[in-house]
Amino acid sequence: MELKLSHEILDFLPEGLVLADAGGAIVYSNAAAIKIFESPFCIRRSLDSPPLEDHDLPIARVLRGEEIAGEIYVLSRDSFDDPIWLEATARRMNSGVIVHWLDVTIQRASQAANRFRILLETAPDAIIEVDFQGKFVMMNAAVETMFGYKRQELMGLSVDVLVPAAMRGAHVGHRASYMRQPGTRPMGIGMELMAQRKDGTEFPVEVSLSPVPSSQGNHVTAIIRDVTERRRASEHLRVLEAQFTHELEETNRQLAQRNQEVERANRLKSEFLASMSHELRSPLHTIIGFADLLSEELDGPLNTKQKRFLDNIHRDSQHLLEIINDLLDISKIEAGRLELRLEQFEIGLIAEEVLSSFRTQARTKGIQIETHFPPNLFVEADKLRLRQILYNLLSNAVKFTPDQGRITVSAERSGAQLQVTVTDTGIGIAPQNHDAIFDKFYQVGSTTKGVREGTGLGLAITKTLVEKMGGRIWVESQLGKGSLFGVSVRLAKVTPGEDKAITRTKPLVLLAEDSNRSTDLLAIYLEPAGYDVVRAPSLAKTTQLSRELKPDVIILDLLTPGAEGWQVLRELKIQKETMDIPVVIASVLDNDDAVHSLGAAAYLTKPISKRLLLDTLQACCPPSHHRM
């Protein structure tokens, strides 16, 4: 009777009690425990942890000597009902283990609800809940702060009280429409929403809506955010953007105006340089040409004094011509008008041609020139500009090498490049000046004569030309120990084939010049070299004579009154009978890009040396060739 009474008392307790013997077998569970564990279940330490095995449960742990006091477990059933939160306390007794299970689900739910309310109350945005009639059901503290109302003032009122008076009529319709098709979405997409405070002031807001089911029908939760500061910042940013756009437009306008001024200045500079080219090159053409003619002594021998005077005339004229050419080249480079015409050719022939220009000068100073060029070295470059590069390097070597010195010109393959070096035993260059010598108008020092020569543009032009052809230039030098200047040039991928077969023994050259003096000089150059020469009586007759005579080459001057030369060139390249005849332009104009585009075979800028003229004609039509 006493044992039965004890069990009845234990069954009356709301907490579950479980007794186990010393082997861990359960010998008694009160009614509350039976109710807790009556259905299949699993026990976890948390909602997302795996189910516990028997040896991890309180009875087994206490039998192992552990103490269990107030530990939380989660019991879940196979029917996926809401989980039950249990607090377990277990102790060892002489006869076994007693476990006390307390259902704390309601307490935990209360704690979670309290935490949610704290979260709701501390949210910076206003949060409200209204019923299907639009009346306030719930709100957080931010509503009071944002709108200036007390909660008790708003409870039972329509949410329309927070809408500006001018918009309330429309808002009633919008609210009814939303209740017919509720959904989670922003309110008033694409619109600027405004709200109204208790004091009547309006402010911009963003509102998010969500339907909330309830026992009284659908309610709606609205989250309201005050975007006053964001709108103010956005407006400030818009003003700054407009101001920046205006300033940028004004800056661009000023820049465009300055660019126009720069372009005009460049155009005037180009026009001036072209005019200077014409005014200086024309007399130089005559001076150099007749100096060359006199030096050949065709009309009688010259005495020593006359030869010396003639050498001075020729040397100083050439020096002046080099200065003019340097100024024109640097002008082209600065204007971005320097064009290259790449072709494949044997570099040894070009090097020998340039070397021949300096052998006499070197011999006068007792300088020995050595060359090391393997045969059949074909490169891909602009022939005229490569000649200019080698000329500049050799000119400097001769100028800065003292008497009885030595200059070595070598070429060596390096991968897909050919490295050409000019080495001298001259005065040398200090290491700190190695970069500066490639600057425009920089002169590192005096020549071996103790004077500064040239414009200081030669190496600047050379560096630009080398780099434009895909190569590089470098210097190795020390004061008093000579210098080595090297340039790299792209090797030709395919060695050019042999020239066309010879079909004529004496070619015919048609001269179309507006100056009898110029045609006389050209004829004196050409006839002894194996060419027949015919002078066109006028430019207008050039095309007709070309059709009749079918010359092998036409030498045409473009600087003529009425721009007749340009028209003649166009006609020659359009007409079937003359389009294949090479046309060599000989002019003081500096417009080689245009003439090449019209089909000219070559462009020679006056004054023209005899050697350059003959080399050009040799390329177009050698003396042993004629047109049938």
Side-chain angles (χ1 to χ4, degrees):
M1 181 66 180
E2 190 173 320
L3 180 61
K4 182 178 180 181
L5 181 61
S6 298
H7 285 179
E8 288 177 354
I9 294 172
L10 293 176
D11 287 340
F12 183 74
L13 294 174
E15 299 91 355
L17 288 176
V18 176
L19 299 177
D21 60 19
I26 296 175
V27 297
Y28 173 76
S29 298
N30 71 348
I34 292 172
K35 185 177 181 180
I36 293 173
F37 300 107
E38 64 182 346
S39 300
F41 62 86
C42 62
I43 296 179
R44 296 178 171 86
R45 292 306 302 270
S46 64
L47 287 173
D48 55 357
S49 63
L52 296 174
E53 301 293 338
D54 289 344
H55 63 270
D56 291 324
L57 293 175
I59 293 175
R61 290 172 58 196
V62 169
L63 290 174
R64 291 199 301 269
E66 297 183 36
E67 291 186 3
I68 307 296
E71 288 189 356
I72 300 298
Y73 292 84
V74 181
L75 183 145
S76 58
R77 306 184 188 281
D78 293 342
S79 58
F80 300 102
D81 291 337
D82 291 336
I84 299 174
W85 294 85
L86 301 172
E87 181 183 277
T89 299
R91 293 182 181 177
R92 182 74 179 263
M93 299 189 308
N94 292 334
S95 58
V97 177
I98 182 171
V99 183
H100 176 267
W101 294 96
L102 177 64
D103 187 340
V104 294
T105 303
I106 295 176
Q107 294 92 318
R108 288 187 65 87
S110 176
Q111 292 173 0
N114 188 50
R115 288 187 62 193
F116 178 75
R117 179 159 292 280
I118 292 172
L119 178 66
L120 185 69
E121 289 298 315
T122 56
D125 295 333
I127 302 174
I128 62 174
E129 181 182 343
V130 299
D131 61 17
F132 65 96
Q133 293 179 329
K135 294 182 178 181
F136 288 101
V137 174
M138 184 275 296
M139 66 194 71
N140 68 347
V143 174
E144 296 180 322
T145 304
M146 189 177 295
F147 290 94
Y149 289 96
K150 296 296 183 182
R151 296 191 199 204
Q152 54 270 28
E153 293 181 83
L154 292 176
M155 295 302 293
L157 294 180
S158 171
V159 70
D160 296 339
V161 72
L162 304 182
V163 178
M167 304 176 186
R168 286 175 187 170
H171 183 259
V172 172
H174 293 321
R175 179 161 49 79
S177 176
Y178 177 82
M179 295 305 292
R180 287 192 296 270
Q181 290 183 324
T184 301
R185 61 175 175 80
M187 176 179 172
I189 298 174
M191 301 172 59
E192 291 189 356
L193 302 180
M194 301 295 292
Q196 181 175 297
R197 299 186 181 93
K198 182 179 179 180
D199 62 8
T201 57
E202 298 180 5
F203 61 99
V205 294
E206 287 180 351
V207 182
S208 297
L209 303 175
S210 298
V212 180
S214 73
S215 58
Q216 291 81 30
N218 282 337
H219 287 193
V220 178
T221 299
I223 301 176
I224 306 168
R225 174 168 294 178
D226 184 347
V227 294
T228 302
E229 291 302 322
R230 187 200 302 173
R231 292 273 179 90
R232 186 178 292 117
S234 178
E235 179 62 20
H236 181 62
L237 182 62
R238 188 192 64 77
V239 172
L240 289 178
E241 184 179 1
Q243 180 181 353
F244 175 75
T245 301
H246 174 72
E247 293 176 354
L248 182 61
E249 289 174 351
E250 178 61 21
T251 301
N252 287 338
R253 186 191 65 78
Q254 295 177 3
L255 184 60
Q257 182 178 352
R258 291 174 185 172
N259 285 340
Q260 290 177 354
E261 293 172 356
V262 171
E263 289 174 1
R264 180 175 179 274
N266 283 335
R267 185 173 66 255
L268 291 176
K269 181 179 72 174
S270 298
E271 292 174 358
F272 168 75
L273 290 173
S275 174
M276 182 187 70
S277 168
H278 174 236
E279 296 301 326
L280 294 178
R281 279 178 168 175
S282 292
L284 275 176
H285 177 235
T286 303
I287 293 171
I288 294 174
F290 281 106
D292 285 339
L293 183 61
L294 289 173
S295 65
E296 294 183 5
E297 302 181 87
L298 298 177
D299 293 327
L302 302 174
N303 60 41
T304 303
K305 190 175 183 180
Q306 291 171 330
K307 290 181 179 178
R308 186 173 71 252
F309 290 167
L310 192 60
D311 288 341
N312 291 338
I313 292 171
H314 190 275
R315 182 178 62 255
D316 290 345
S317 298
Q318 289 288 359
H319 181 61
L320 181 58
L321 179 60
E322 290 173 8
I323 293 175
I324 295 171
N325 289 337
D326 283 350
L327 290 173
L328 290 173
D329 281 341
I330 206 68
S331 174
K332 276 187 176 183
I333 291 171
E334 290 179 345
R337 295 189 298 108
L338 183 67
E339 298 292 336
L340 299 178
R341 290 178 178 81
L342 302 182
E343 56 181 309
Q344 296 182 352
F345 55 89
E346 187 177 359
I347 190 174
L349 299 177
I350 299 297
E352 186 56 39
E353 177 186 330
V354 175
L355 284 166
S356 65
S357 304
F358 293 97
R359 292 195 187 279
T360 301
Q361 185 180 352
R363 192 179 303 115
T364 302
K365 296 179 66 174
I367 297 174
Q368 180 182 357
I369 296 181
E370 299 178 1
T371 59
H372 302 284
F373 270 81
N376 297 321
L377 277 179
F378 286 87
V379 296
E380 184 177 4
D382 185 307
K383 185 184 293 186
L384 177 64
R385 295 304 183 180
L386 184 58
R387 182 187 290 111
Q388 183 179 355
I389 290 168
L390 295 177
Y391 186 93
N392 284 342
L393 296 181
L394 275 166
S395 175
N396 286 341
V398 173
K399 280 191 295 186
F400 293 102
T401 299
D403 293 355
Q404 312 306 316
R406 186 175 69 257
I407 297 173
T408 304
V409 185
S410 304
E412 182 179 342
R413 294 175 183 269
S414 178
Q417 299 275 324
L418 180 70
Q419 293 186 347
V420 180
T421 58
V422 178
T423 308
D424 62 57
T425 58
I427 58 178
I429 304 167
Q432 62 267 27
N433 293 326
H434 285 186
D435 292 332
I437 59 174
F438 296 106
D439 295 339
K440 289 180 289 187
F441 303 108
Y442 185 88
Q443 292 179 307
V444 69
S446 302
T447 66
T448 55
K449 299 177 182 178
V451 297
R452 293 179 182 268
E453 293 184 3
T455 59
L457 292 172
L459 285 176
I461 294 171
T462 298
K463 183 175 186 291
T464 301
L465 294 177
V466 171
E467 291 175 350
K468 275 188 168 291
M469 288 191 288
R472 67 182 185 93
I473 185 170
W474 67 93
V475 60
E476 299 172 8
S477 181
Q478 292 184 7
L479 277 177
K481 296 184 178 181
S483 303
L484 178 150
F485 281 86
V487 296
S488 60
V489 187
R490 190 163 45 235
L491 283 166
K493 294 180 180 178
V494 179
T495 301
E498 297 295 327
D499 292 336
K500 295 180 180 179
I502 296 173
T503 58
R504 186 167 184 160
T505 58
K506 197 170 185 181
L508 176 63
V509 179
L510 177 61
L511 301 179
E513 281 266 359
D514 65 331
S515 168
N516 290 332
R517 187 170 57 186
S518 294
T519 54
D520 288 344
L521 183 59
L522 292 175
I524 293 171
Y525 285 165
L526 296 174
E527 288 174 343
Y531 293 92
D532 281 335
V533 176
V534 174
R535 297 171 176 83
S538 66
L539 285 173
K541 295 288 186 180
T542 301
T543 305
Q544 179 183 346
L545 274 176
S546 299
R547 289 196 301 266
E548 294 173 357
L549 300 177
K550 293 183 175 55
D552 296 276
V553 182
I554 301 170
I555 298 180
L556 175 64
D557 184 2
L558 291 185
L559 189 63
T560 56
E564 287 181 288
W566 293 93
Q567 184 59 34
V568 169
L569 178 58
R570 292 188 186 95
E571 291 175 357
L572 290 171
K573 290 301 165 184
I574 290 175
Q575 296 184 13
K576 184 177 180 180
E577 300 94 327
T578 59
M579 64 171 54
D580 294 328
I581 301 175
V583 179
V584 176
I585 303 302
S587 176
V588 295
L589 287 176
D590 191 23
N591 203 354
D592 51 342
D593 296 336
V595 298
H596 279 291
S597 67
L598 291 176
Y603 183 91
L604 303 179
T605 304
K606 292 181 179 179
I608 306 167
S609 71
K610 178 180 178 181
R611 184 72 267 158
L612 179 59
L613 176 64
L614 294 179
D615 286 347
T616 303
L617 292 189
Q618 174 73 21
C620 294
C621 178
S624 58
H625 173 86
H626 72 281
R627 186 180 299 273
M628 298 301 294

